[in-house]
Amino acid sequence: MQGSMFPFGSTLPSEAFVRLPDRSFHFQPVPGRLSWSRNYAAKGIKFICACSSLLFQVHGNVYPTGYYNVTMYIGQPARPYFLDLDTGSDLTWLQCDAPCVRCVEAPHPLYRPSNDLVPCEDPICASLHAPGHHNCEDPAQCDYELEYADGGSSLGVLVKDAFAFNYTNGQRLNPRLALGCGYNQVPGASYHPLDGILGLGKGKSSIVSQLHSQKLIRNVVGHCLSGGGGGFLFFGDDLYDSSRVVWTSMSSDYT
């Protein structure tokens, strides 16, 4: 792939801060998909769900590794990538051969991007820019620049590609989702060799939000981390008893 496809333009950096997805129970069955009723006896309300959850094994530990990651299968054909879990940012990105100007050590070969560029006018692109600063050098593509609290950063362009997922009910799906093709990375103080970042925030660019907008899951993300290392991550709300969960509202003091 020629580098001229991705002019090295830049945008204002997006801050990374803790944001968790909202909970939603207003869904209608999607034609051709499995649907079933769930009776939330504690509230006497009956909800119809037209989806199932996605479950991922988590690897890593607090000590001595110091980080957690999951494996995502992306591209056509799908290839595995180790992604760092980050509930404090939205965009999922991979170190990308576009070609790469500056990339760091990674477990797998660099991601080769698809030709499906996200245009500047896409709402996902706008969500990655500060209000009033949504400008692109090329309207046919969306450039991004992310800065993280540990001093790390990623500069790249948004593309869409197929993700290979399996529902917990056994059904397979291959949605096309937007992700970052990062061709210029600066490692932060907490750097460790991974293929990219899995953004789990509630912004439009997050994988959870995109799956929710396609009516493939409910807008819920959760994880369980074992004291002995490892754990699991899930998207959707079919893996727990909602009647036994205590919910609290998100703070409105922060955007």
Side-chain angles (χ1 to χ4, degrees):
M1 181 168 298
Q2 298 299 317
S4 59
M5 178 181 176
F6 301 145
F8 297 155
S10 63
T11 62
L12 290 183
S14 301
E15 291 185 349
F17 47 87
V18 175
R19 294 183 293 181
L20 297 177
D22 296 325
R23 170 173 173 255
S24 173
F25 284 113
H26 304 288
F27 275 80
Q28 297 297 324
V30 178
R33 291 196 180 276
L34 179 66
S35 64
W36 63 93
S37 299
R38 300 182 66 185
N39 184 16
Y40 293 80
K43 296 183 179 180
I45 301 174
K46 195 173 186 180
F47 298 99
I48 303 297
C49 179
C51 55
S52 185
S53 293
L54 303 176
L55 181 65
F56 309 92
Q57 185 175 358
V58 171
H59 302 278
N61 51 60
V62 173
Y63 180 84
T65 303
Y67 65 92
Y68 292 91
N69 68 87
V70 298
T71 302
M72 290 277 175
Y73 291 85
I74 304 169
Q76 294 178 303
R79 293 182 171 89
Y81 297 97
F82 296 164
L83 301 183
D84 196 354
L85 299 178
D86 187 11
T87 58
S89 65
D90 299 327
L91 182 66
T92 293
W93 57 267
L94 293 172
Q95 294 202 103
C96 181
D97 186 9
C100 190
V101 175
R102 178 169 48 183
C103 286
V104 297
E105 179 187 357
H108 296 101
L110 296 178
Y111 167 67
R112 297 300 302 271
S114 71
N115 292 321
D116 190 0
L117 291 170
V118 175
C120 182
E121 64 182 10
D122 193 294
I124 291 178
C125 183
S127 72
L128 294 173
H129 297 76
H133 293 87
H134 180 208
N135 300 311
C136 302
E137 294 184 7
D138 182 350
Q141 72 178 48
C142 177
D143 300 304
Y144 75 86
E145 183 176 2
L146 299 175
E147 292 184 348
Y148 296 92
D150 68 349
S153 65
S154 176
L155 175 67
V157 65
L158 291 191
V159 299
K160 285 189 176 181
D161 211 336
F163 282 65
F165 294 131
N166 289 313
Y167 279 132
T168 52
N169 65 13
Q171 185 178 357
R172 295 184 178 183
L173 67 159
N174 293 98
R176 294 191 68 82
L177 305 173
L179 72 154
C181 163
Y183 53 72
N184 193 337
Q185 276 66 243
V186 174
S190 60
Y191 161 74
H192 37 269
L194 290 174
D195 297 307
I197 298 290
L198 176 61
L200 297 174
K202 68 174 183 178
K204 283 186 173 64
S205 64
S206 82
I207 295 300
V208 178
S209 295
Q210 292 185 66
L211 289 169
H212 171 253
S213 69
Q214 295 184 28
K215 295 182 171 60
L216 296 174
I217 60 168
R218 285 181 171 169
N219 201 21
V220 174
V221 60
H223 56 74
C224 177
L225 304 177
S226 169
F232 63 87
L233 169 76
F234 64 86
F235 302 160
D237 69 341
D238 301 314
L239 299 181
Y240 61 87
D241 181 359
S242 180
S243 67
R244 301 179 63 184
V245 174
V246 177
W247 297 89
T248 187
S249 300
M250 295 293 294
S251 171
S252 59
D253 295 337
Y254 303 95
T255 57

